[in-house]
Amino acid sequence: MRPRYALLGDPVDHSISPDMHRAAFRTWGLDAEYVARTVTADEVGQAMRGAGLAGGNVTLPHKLVAAETVARASRAVQATGACNCWWRAEDGELAGDNTDVGGLGLALNRLGFKAENARVLVLGAGGAARAAVHTLLEARASRVEILNRTPARARALRDATGGRGLYVVEAPDPGMPYDLVLNATSLGLSTADPLPLELDRGRFRLACDLVYAAGETQWVRHARSLGIRAGDGLEMLVGQAALSLRRWFPGRTPPVDAMRAAAVEALDRREGGAGQGAAADR
Ligand SMILES: NC(=O)c1ccc[n+]([C@@H]2O[C@H](COP(=O)([O-])OP(=O)(O)OC[C@H]3O[C@@H](n4cnc5c(N)ncnc54)[C@H](OP(=O)(O)O)[C@@H]3O)[C@@H](O)[C@H]2O)c1
């Protein structure tokens, strides 16, 4: 039978995940299907357990429910409480991973970021910030500072993670420079949004935006205009999709270039090449 994979979330209509995965299947010459399905929180577990699917991805707002549904949770799922990728293990049990964590690691490598002993400023304290903090601490960043509109949420993230080297701040430290500043807020999804943070070159060596848009985000363009090396969230999105494929098809190498090209084309098509805001895969 033709293996079938699905993206489960609400909404999923603007997702570009199907474009990336279908490009991978085409490149491999594999007869497999990837569909997007809108499901409620009550339907997620049943859809994941159902016989019709070999595995898939889960997006907002269901990553926490998915983490509770899988029987074999990876370390990243246990640490973040979120699962965005599941499949059936050899014993028939549902297994899950948080490939956003590894996807961000791949994106940061591509940006030239060296985590060891690095000082990082993370903007935001939601699900994406939680994955980012886990990625950075696992990679041995020495100091990770969280700056969030609602400081109580930043403190809750710090306390839940309990990692050494994690601090809550109310503003960037004007003293020592940061090796990386990472936007994990949802600012940038709309072109009407203010920048998540005004940057200056002396203080920030690299900037990584988890938000992505056709033609890149305003914050990435702002960083580049100051001579700061920057990348948006498209690379993380491609990375998490590639790592999902590795989970479903062990031993195969995901065709990352074809997937990235399909993602860029789909974003251009869906946003008309001008606007921002169709980041449905989160
Ligand atoms: N590239 C990828 O593969 C990928 C993966 C995951 C997520 N993302 C991106 O990451 C973003 C965040 O996702 P999430 O799951 O963490 O969402 P979330 O849990 O809803 O968190 C949203 C964060 O944005 C902050 N925020 C929202 N509006 C703001 C405003 N007007 N001013 C300042 N801060 C504001 C919130 O602050 P408060 O706590 O004060 O509300 C919170 O920290 C998404 O929009 C998505 O684009 C990308």
Coordinates of all heavy atoms in Angstrom, one line a residue, residues 6-13 36-40 43-44 57-63 280:
A6 N 1.0 12.7 7.1 CA 0.1 13.8 7.2 C 0.6 14.9 8.2 O 1.4 14.6 9.1 CB -1.3 13.4 7.7
L7 N 0.3 16.1 7.9 CA 0.5 17.2 8.8 C -0.8 17.5 9.5 O -1.9 17.7 8.8 CB 0.9 18.5 8.0 CG 0.9 19.8 8.9 CD1 2.1 19.8 9.8 CD2 1.0 21.0 8.0
L8 N -0.8 17.4 10.8 CA -2.0 17.7 11.6 C -1.9 19.0 12.3 O -0.9 19.2 13.0 CB -2.2 16.5 12.6 CG -2.2 15.1 12.1 CD1 -2.2 14.1 13.3 CD2 -3.3 14.8 11.1
G9 N -2.9 19.8 12.3 CA -2.9 21.1 12.9 C -4.1 21.9 12.7 O -5.1 21.4 12.1
D10 N -4.1 23.2 13.1 CA -5.3 24.0 12.9 C -4.9 25.5 13.0 O -4.7 25.9 14.2 CB -6.4 23.6 13.9 CG -7.7 24.4 13.6 OD1 -7.8 25.0 12.5 OD2 -8.6 24.3 14.5
P11 N -4.7 26.2 12.0 CA -5.0 25.8 10.6 C -3.8 25.2 9.9 O -2.6 25.3 10.4 CB -5.2 27.2 9.9 CG -4.3 28.1 10.7 CD -4.2 27.6 12.1
V12 N -4.0 24.5 8.7 CA -2.9 24.0 8.0 C -3.0 24.4 6.5 O -2.1 24.0 5.7 CB -2.9 22.4 8.0 CG1 -2.5 21.9 9.4 CG2 -4.3 21.8 7.6
D13 N -4.0 25.2 6.1 CA -4.3 25.5 4.7 C -3.1 26.1 4.0 O -2.8 25.9 2.9 CB -5.4 26.4 4.5 CG -6.5 26.3 5.5 OD1 -6.5 25.4 6.3 OD2 -7.4 27.2 5.5
A36 N -2.2 17.5 4.2 CA -2.4 18.4 5.4 C -3.9 18.2 5.8 O -4.8 18.2 5.0 CB -2.2 19.8 5.0
R37 N -4.0 18.0 7.2 CA -5.4 17.8 7.7 C -5.6 18.7 8.9 O -4.8 18.7 9.8 CB -5.5 16.4 8.3 CG -5.9 15.3 7.3 CD -6.3 14.1 8.1 NE -6.2 12.9 7.2 CZ -6.1 11.7 7.7 NH1 -6.2 11.5 9.0 NH2 -6.1 10.7 6.9
T38 N -6.8 19.4 8.8 CA -7.2 20.2 10.0 C -7.8 19.3 11.0 O -8.8 18.6 10.6 CB -8.2 21.3 9.5 OG1 -7.5 22.1 8.5 CG2 -8.6 22.2 10.6
V39 N -7.3 19.3 12.2 CA -7.9 18.5 13.3 C -8.1 19.3 14.5 O -7.3 20.2 14.8 CB -7.1 17.2 13.6 CG1 -7.1 16.2 12.4 CG2 -5.7 17.6 13.9
T40 N -9.0 18.9 15.4 CA -9.2 19.6 16.7 C -8.2 18.8 17.7 O -7.7 17.7 17.4 CB -10.6 19.5 17.2 OG1 -10.9 18.1 17.4 CG2 -11.6 20.0 16.2
E43 N -9.1 15.3 18.3 CA -8.9 14.4 17.2 C -7.5 14.0 16.9 O -7.2 13.0 16.1 CB -9.5 15.0 15.9 CG -11.0 15.2 15.9 CD -11.5 16.1 14.8 OE1 -10.7 16.9 14.2 OE2 -12.7 16.1 14.5
V44 N -6.5 14.7 17.5 CA -5.1 14.5 17.2 C -4.6 13.1 17.5 O -4.1 12.4 16.6 CB -4.2 15.5 17.9 CG1 -2.7 15.2 17.6 CG2 -4.5 16.9 17.6
N57 N 3.7 14.9 10.8 CA 4.1 16.1 11.5 C 2.8 16.7 12.3 O 1.7 16.5 11.8 CB 4.7 17.2 10.6 CG 6.0 16.8 10.0 OD1 6.1 16.7 8.8 ND2 6.9 16.5 10.9
V58 N 3.1 17.4 13.3 CA 2.1 18.1 14.1 C 2.5 19.5 14.2 O 3.6 19.8 14.5 CB 1.9 17.5 15.5 CG1 0.7 18.2 16.2 CG2 1.5 16.0 15.4
T59 N 1.5 20.4 13.9 CA 1.9 21.8 14.1 C 0.9 22.5 15.1 O 0.1 21.8 15.7 CB 1.9 22.5 12.7 OG1 2.3 23.9 12.8 CG2 0.5 22.6 12.0
L60 N 1.0 23.8 15.2 CA 0.2 24.5 16.2 C -1.3 24.2 16.0 O -1.7 24.1 14.8 CB 0.4 26.0 16.1 CG 1.7 26.6 16.6 CD1 1.8 28.1 16.4 CD2 2.0 26.2 18.0
P61 N -2.1 24.1 17.0 CA -1.7 24.3 18.4 C -1.6 22.9 19.1 O -1.8 22.8 20.3 CB -2.9 25.0 19.0 CG -4.1 24.5 18.2 CD -3.6 24.1 16.8
H62 N -1.2 21.9 18.4 CA -1.4 20.5 18.9 C -0.1 19.8 19.3 O -0.1 18.6 19.6 CB -2.1 19.6 17.9 CG -3.5 20.1 17.5 ND1 -4.3 20.7 18.4 CD2 -4.1 20.2 16.3 CE1 -5.4 21.1 17.8 NE2 -5.3 20.7 16.5
K63 N 1.1 20.5 19.4 CA 2.3 19.9 19.6 C 2.4 19.3 21.0 O 3.1 18.3 21.3 CB 3.5 20.8 19.4 CG 3.7 21.2 17.9 CD 4.9 22.1 17.8 CE 5.0 22.7 16.4 NZ 6.2 23.5 16.1
A280 N 2.5 29.1 8.4 CA 1.5 28.1 9.1 C 2.2 26.9 9.7 O 1.6 26.3 10.5 CB 0.5 27.7 8.1

